[in-house]
Amino acid sequence: LGCSSTNCNMVLTEAQGEFTSPCYPQKYPNSQACKWTMQAPAGFIIQLSFLDFDLEEAPGCIYDRVVVNTGNTDVKFCGLTANGLTLNSTGDVMELSFISDFSVQKRGFSVSFRHVAVALRNQKVNIPNGNGQITKVANSVSIPTLSHLTVCFELERLSMKQTEWIFTYYDSSNNVALSLGSDQSGMKMIVDGVICTIDSIITSADFTSFMKPFCVLWTSSNGRVAVYVNEQYWAKTCATSSGHSVPGGGLFRLGGQQSFHGNMYNLRLWNYAMTEQQLKALNCDTVGNVVDWDNSHWTIPSTLAQTDATLSCICYPHCIHLTTAAPTSGVSPSSNTPLTSSCDSLGLGCPEDLFYRISFVVDDESAALPQAEVERAVALWLNQTFQSWTHAVNVDFISVQPGLQSGGNPGSYTCQALLLYHYITNESLGEAAVSARLSSREGLMGAGLQIQPASTDVRLIENCPEENPLHYRWPESRPTVTRYLPCFPNKDQSTSRTCSISPQNYSSYWSPADLSNCTDIDTIQVSAENAAEVAVQLANIPYNELSNEEVSKVVTKVKQLVNVAKINSTLASIVVTIISNVMTSSETVLAATSEKALKTVDELVQKLEFEGPSIHITSRHLALGISALNTTVFNGTSFSAFMAPNTTDPQIDFESERLNPLAQVTLPASLLSNVSLSDADRSSLSRINFMFFSSTNLFQKEQDGRSLNSYVVASSVGNFSISNLMDPVEIEIAHLSDQPYLTPVCMFWDFSMNNGAGGWNGKGCRTSKESTRNTTICLCDHLTHFGILMV
């Protein structure tokens, strides 16, 4: 009874320890919800080992389960699946959660954990951008005055920005003394406050989504700036930097005022400029004599450092053999050989590793060996089998389970392991070769253990298939490869997803996408200051991929933007483009948002500030025209919409009589004569607005047996409602299709119909006898949105 109340929600900061499920080794209680959070200092990961594991078995572990969060992914266990398994965190925190339901109790689990130091050579560091986190050279490192220098590093890009600084060194007065980056005018290196343009030897396009090495050099005596990239040496003279020096005693950090968005690896600084021959011979583990890529040289926020099994210097010269901590992977093998990030087949991702699932059954003829001894013997045999092979392979994630789980003999064990083959040459390695290697050593297990004949099975672990969820296309990828795609809708940020290997069945699967950097349309904040920036972001959305809900969110966000922003012609043009893009959605999708979209357009034309007699803005599906109005001399006017040759966007014309327009509105000279306006109101009437909709998706296309068969055109004077005109407004609209046996009916869009959703109303409009087979002329006593319905 007492153990059921044991505190099982704990934060564990010890360097090593053990914990168990409540009541272990007795049966755990029902209805438990426990969580152990293990935390390590920066530069360490958590290594977790299941010493014993027995939970209720169920498909998908829907009843009792243990969930381990390794940092970037959750791994779920039940039954006996985790017994003997070791997992590592991707960072310095790991969580283990245990949940039991109201029935069926088992023995539970026992685990041990320990902190494992991770060399900085095995980690890359995310370059932060304005979130208060700064990766900088440690205060214990003294940077001297430099009259020549070499900086080498590896860099991978996550997204492109207009202004991006890769590293910055500030002198003691907080002036920029050394920096590398780019802005709208190109790549630059800043030395002692002198800006050297270096576009001719390196560009921002050289920094790609794959980790790539770079070296940058500078010499004071001649002002020479050089870069070494793609095994090529390029140099130019920056004469204004000649004679300068980089002052000592400052602060060196990754990024800058506006930081490069990506990951940095292996940054080192020397107090001399290397020759081309020295650069060619430079190894990734050569120590920088001023700054080195070592934990003792850097102060790094723990959330920014990530272990990565594909880094060029990992496990070199000394390999810490761990059951790995790879980003977002369920498992990802370690290696005893240097892994490089270069590969030829970029389509499936880098590195070009192959993974094989090995399985076989071992018999303990005496049935006397403890399982731990069997595990040690199997691990030793596997490592010896592949250690001296001609192929560069590594064995990892060895699992040894008693055969009784699958109905075997008491002295039999089912063994599984993961074999990693990394391309060093163009030689190939197939399943048959791995099987033959295992078979050649079957009799050498030792400790009285024998491999059952014909029990050996070798399978190549398959690639993760292409997946196309809404807004993203994740391409087919090799196991352990992490893919990066632009976020939706904020493309300046990235989402990532890893083709992981399950620690339960050694099969590949796509981990959940990391969308933490991606913004939901709802959460975009709009203000007068950022309205233009938000508008550009909304305009770049691929609208053919939007769901009904997302279309509604976009229209709501545009309405907010128009409400708060000062509307100039540039911003108005972007907003019109957004509404036009929205109109590519179907009538069904737009039904719930059409009223909001139309009223947003109405507000836009009222707020648009312009100079001169008129302005027109056009897009694929919507065109606007606004004409300045002087009420004292108004004598009627007309607008027309037309399609110019070899264009796809409708155009607006003022006054001129065009032949065969798509639509034309003629306002009578008496338009304002019957309008009851105060002098103040009359003086505020400063514009006449004209809107042409070449797509009719914002409007109901069928009503009372009638179908919309024309473009839609609208006109208004200021923001006043004008009706009961003495002389009618004349609206000429071309038909969308020839329907000679149907009668055209002039209609206007009435926002008050259908509970505010809007509908077509014919009140106050009649058809002119001058209408033709292809064009209808409407005479209406008011201004609004007009269309032609056929019956």
Side-chain angles (χ1 to χ4, degrees), residues 1-10 19-24 29 32-36 98:
L1 181 63
C3 69
S4 63
S5 60
T6 300
N7 179 16
C8 62
N9 288 277
M10 304 177 66
F19 58 88
T20 67
S21 54
C23 301
Y24 176 88
Q32 294 291 296
C34 304
K35 183 164 78 172
W36 292 266
F98 168 58

Side-chain angles (χ1 to χ4, degrees), residues 559 562-563 598-608:
K559 182 172 177 59
V562 172
N563 283 341
L598 289 170
K599 290 186 175 179
T600 298
V601 175
D602 286 345
E603 183 176 359
L604 177 73
V605 296
Q606 301 301 340
K607 293 186 66 175
L608 173 57

Side-chain angles (χ1 to χ4, degrees), residues 638-640 642 653-659 664:
S638 66
F639 300 80
S640 60
F642 65 98
D653 193 18
F654 303 95
E655 297 297 346
S656 64
E657 292 290 333
R658 282 196 167 266
L659 292 175
Q664 182 169 296

Side-chain angles (χ1 to χ4, degrees), residues 28-40:
Y28 51 76
N30 291 330
S31 305
Q32 294 291 296
C34 304
K35 183 164 78 172
W36 292 266
T37 301
M38 293 152 278
Q39 294 182 348

Side-chain angles (χ1 to χ4, degrees), residues 356-361 415 434-435 438 454-459:
Y356 296 89
R357 178 173 54 250
I358 298 171
S359 64
F360 52 89
V361 178
C415 306
V434 178
S435 294
L438 291 168
S455 68
T456 300
D457 184 57
V458 178
R459 299 290 176 89

Side-chain angles (χ1 to χ4, degrees), residues 279-509:
L279 291 167
K280 288 182 181 295
L282 186 66
N283 291 322
C284 66
D285 63 323
T286 303
V287 175
N289 70 347
V290 177
V291 176
D292 193 40
W293 195 247
D294 184 85
N295 282 315
S296 65
H297 280 231
W298 292 88
T299 300
I300 304 172
S302 59
T303 56
L304 301 180
Q306 309 170 41
T307 53
D308 186 338
T310 67
L311 298 172
S312 64
C313 242
I314 194 164
C315 298
Y316 184 87
H318 303 294
C319 181
I320 301 174
H321 191 78
L322 301 176
T323 307
T324 33
T328 69
S329 292
V331 296
S332 173
S334 55
S335 170
N336 288 324
T337 57
L339 301 183
T340 69
S341 59
S342 62
C343 73
D344 297 325
S345 304
L346 299 183
L348 296 174
C350 288
E352 290 183 317
D353 295 334
L354 295 179
F355 297 88
Y356 296 89
R357 178 173 54 250
I358 298 171
S359 64
F360 52 89
V361 178
V362 167
D363 288 331
D364 175 11
E365 296 176 345
S366 64
L369 285 178
Q371 182 175 336
E373 292 296 325
V374 176
E375 290 174 354
R376 275 192 284 271
V378 169
L380 180 62
W381 179 78
L382 281 170
N383 281 307
Q384 289 176 342
T385 295
F386 293 106
Q387 192 172 33
S388 57
W389 203 20
T390 54
H391 299 282
V393 296
N394 296 101
V395 179
D396 221 325
F397 306 104
I398 300 169
S399 168
V400 178
Q401 301 293 337
L404 284 175
Q405 294 183 100
S406 55
N409 298 322
S412 69
Y413 294 86
T414 300
C415 306
Q416 294 188 94
L418 197 65
L419 185 74
L420 162 65
Y421 169 57
H422 181 71
Y423 291 130
I424 292 179
T425 65
N426 290 327
E427 62 185 10
S428 61
L429 179 66
E431 296 169 350
V434 178
S435 294
R437 180 66 177 177
L438 291 168
S439 299
S440 70
R441 293 181 52 84
E442 280 185 358
L444 303 175
M445 179 73 74
L449 299 174
Q450 292 289 333
I451 297 178
Q452 284 187 10
S455 68
T456 300
D457 184 57
V458 178
R459 299 290 176 89
L460 178 68
I461 296 178
E462 64 279 2
N463 296 330
C464 289
E466 178 179 320
E467 287 191 1
N468 297 284
L470 188 64
H471 307 312
Y472 298 103
R473 185 189 75 82
W474 299 103
E476 180 183 353
S477 299
R478 293 186 178 89
T480 75
V481 167
T482 299
R483 295 289 193 173
Y484 295 91
L485 294 177
C487 281
F488 173 88
N490 52 321
K491 294 182 179 180
D492 60 323
Q493 298 291 324
S494 296
T495 175
S496 63
R497 198 178 186 196
T498 299
C499 179
S500 302
I501 301 175
S502 168
Q504 296 166 287
N505 59 15
Y506 298 83
S507 63
S508 62
Y509 69 97

Side-chain angles (χ1 to χ4, degrees), residues 230-252:
N230 299 325
E231 299 185 350
Q232 297 292 320
Y233 182 89
W234 305 89
K236 66 165 292 183
T237 298
C238 177
T240 51
S241 73
S242 178
H244 284 258
S245 62
V246 177
L251 182 147
F252 190 107

